[in-house]
Amino acid sequence: MSVPESRRIVLFRHAKADWPQVTDHERPLAERGRMDAAEAGRRLADTAIPFDLALCSTAIRTRETWKLAVHEFQHRPKTVYEERVYEASPGELIALLNETPDDVQNLLLIGHNPGVQGLADVLSGSADGDARERMSRRGFPAAAFAVLSFSGSWKTLEPGVATLLDYWAPSE
């Protein structure tokens, strides 16, 4: 009998966006967002999680966030720009994650609120240390990320099966 494989998911909200006269999908990062995205990238690199795959919303602000964050990584994971991440609900994000091939052990999702925060809340049936308290207190501001783990295949990912291992937000 085999032991279920432990997997990690990092849920990363895009950094602070600007509000120019463009569609929501086309909004770029604000100057503060560019700085926070790079800092989040350094913090993600510090986790030493060897990401196999990054799923990134197609919105300009998520793409810019990812470009600045991944620059801080020693090894760049395969990146898929996925339209379904944009404006997705937690349930839609779970359905998308259920499609992940089982050779992917560690996945990074770069998306938007309220979906990303809702997904972190709904997946985490338990938490290490004070991660849940910090996430509850801060919410999920721009450039924040949550690190979760679960055991089993991606097809078995569902509400409550993950453990919230860590949480970080700018000026945390």
Side-chain angles (χ1 to χ4, degrees):
M1 189 169 193
S2 65
V3 175
E5 190 167 2
S6 180
R7 301 180 191 283
R8 283 174 287 190
I9 309 166
V10 172
L11 304 174
F12 181 19
R13 183 180 175 198
H14 67 79
K16 184 167 180 53
D18 204 354
W19 289 93
Q21 294 296 313
V22 296
T23 66
D24 183 67
H25 193 272
E26 302 303 311
R27 288 175 50 215
L29 290 181
E31 182 59 35
R32 181 177 141 223
R34 288 190 283 280
M35 292 184 303
D36 288 348
E39 176 63 17
R42 287 187 286 279
R43 297 296 181 118
L44 284 166
D46 287 347
T47 69
I49 297 171
F51 293 106
D52 303 305
L53 178 64
L55 290 178
C56 183
S57 164
T58 56
I60 297 297
R61 61 191 178 273
T62 51
R63 295 171 71 101
E64 288 181 350
T65 297
W66 178 230
K67 181 180 178 182
L68 291 164
V70 76
H71 181 73
E72 303 294 331
F73 287 30
Q74 193 167 26
H75 300 288
R76 182 186 182 110
K78 176 183 176 185
T79 300
V80 174
Y81 295 98
E82 175 57 66
E83 290 179 6
R84 294 178 291 170
V85 174
Y86 181 68
E87 295 188 336
S89 69
E92 291 166 330
L93 290 171
I94 289 173
L96 177 62
L97 292 171
N98 288 155
E99 297 173 11
T100 304
D102 279 332
D103 62 341
V104 172
Q105 185 174 352
N106 301 305
L107 182 142
L108 178 65
L109 177 89
I110 307 99
H112 310 266
N113 259 5
V116 170
Q117 180 175 1
L119 183 59
D121 288 338
V122 84
L123 287 179
S124 55
S126 62
D128 284 354
D130 67 345
R132 186 184 313 277
E133 189 273 323
R134 288 185 293 120
M135 190 170 77
S136 294
R137 184 180 67 242
R138 293 287 319 276
F140 223 95
F145 64 83
V147 180
L148 299 100
S149 70
F150 78 101
S151 294
S153 81
W154 290 100
K155 289 175 181 53
T156 67
L157 183 65
E158 62 183 29
V161 301
T163 300
L164 177 63
L165 301 175
D166 199 6
Y167 166 82
W168 180 84
S171 55
E172 162 106 330

